[in-house]
Amino acid sequence: MRIFNRVISLLLSLVLLLGGLLIAVEAVLAAFHRAPWLLPLRRWHDLLASTRLADPPTRAVAAVLGTVGLLLLIAELWPRRPYRLRARPATADEKTQWWVLRRPAERRLADAAARVSGVNSARARLRGRRLWKVDVRAEARDDRRADIEEAVKAELARLAAPAPARVRLRLRRPRRVT
C-alpha cells in the first residue's frame, strides 16, 4: 500500500503542478485582455451557469466523486501491519527506543522454526504494537510442538522482543510422500 500511496501522490502532485501552471498562464493572458490560450473559458462559464444541481448528470457525477473519495478515505484509515516493531533489549535504558523491521524478523522466526528437525516448512507473522503476537504455521508432527516453541522463543529473545510475547503455533501434519 505504501508504493500505491507514493505513486498516487506523485501523479496527483504532477497534475496539480501542471494545472496550476496552466491557470497561471491563463490568468496572465486574461490580465492582458487576450483570448484564452488552451482553456475554453467562455464555453465553460456558459455551461456551468446553465447547469442546475437537480440535473441527473450533476447528481451522478457528485455521487461518483463522493463514493471514490469515501473509498480512498477508508483505504487510508484501514489499519495495516506495522513496518517496524518496538524492541526492548534488557540493557537499554527507559529513554532509548529500539526498533526491529517486521519482515526480516518474521523470516528469522520462520527460519528458527524450520531448523527444528522434523519440520518441513514454516511461516511466521508478527503483529502488535507494544507486545508482540507471533503466529507460526509449520508442517510438522504434533510431538515437535515443544521444540518449535522453544526455538521460536529463543529467537524472540535474540530479537529483543518485549516480554511477554504471545506465541501461537499451528501445526499441519506433514504430507506423506510415497
Side-chain angles (χ1 to χ4, degrees):
M1 195 66 166
R2 283 190 172 99
I3 293 174
F4 175 76
N5 286 344
R6 289 179 180 166
V7 169
I8 292 297
S9 297
L10 175 69
L11 291 175
L12 181 62
S13 64
L14 287 174
V15 166
L16 290 175
L17 178 68
L18 294 175
L21 290 174
L22 181 63
I23 289 174
V25 167
E26 294 291 341
V28 168
L29 289 174
F32 289 118
H33 303 291
R34 305 270 182 170
W37 176 52
L38 193 58
L39 301 176
L41 298 177
R42 177 58 54 195
R43 190 174 51 177
W44 284 2
H45 177 268
D46 294 340
L47 178 69
L48 291 174
S50 65
T51 302
R52 295 182 353 200
L53 289 177
D55 292 343
T58 306
R59 278 193 263 157
V61 168
V64 167
L65 289 177
T67 303
V68 168
L70 188 62
L71 289 175
L72 286 174
L73 179 67
I74 289 170
E76 285 300 316
L77 293 178
W78 196 269
R80 295 184 221 16
R81 291 191 312 167
Y83 173 68
R84 60 186 185 163
L85 299 167
R86 184 173 299 205
R88 188 83 189 113
T91 58
D93 60 353
E94 290 295 322
K95 295 180 181 178
T96 305
Q97 290 188 3
W98 293 70
W99 299 93
V100 173
L101 296 178
R102 181 182 51 82
R103 286 190 180 168
E106 287 176 344
R107 278 191 295 255
R108 286 185 61 168
L109 290 168
D111 290 344
R115 279 193 296 269
V116 174
S117 65
V119 176
N120 293 340
S121 65
R123 286 184 18 204
R125 288 188 66 178
L126 272 171
R127 294 179 293 123
R129 300 262 183 227
R130 294 203 182 278
L131 297 178
W132 292 11
K133 297 172 189 148
V134 183
D135 292 324
V136 178
R137 291 181 183 206
E139 187 176 305
R141 292 192 334 251
D142 200 42
D143 62 344
R144 306 307 305 169
R145 180 177 293 274
D147 295 335
I148 296 170
E149 282 186 30
E150 182 180 325
V152 168
K153 287 183 180 180
E155 190 63 35
L156 283 171
R158 278 192 285 280
L159 290 170
R166 189 187 64 134
V167 177
R168 186 170 71 180
L169 183 60
R170 293 187 222 170
L171 296 180
R172 190 176 75 215
R173 293 185 66 112
R175 292 183 222 133
R176 252 185 110 118
V177 179
T178 57

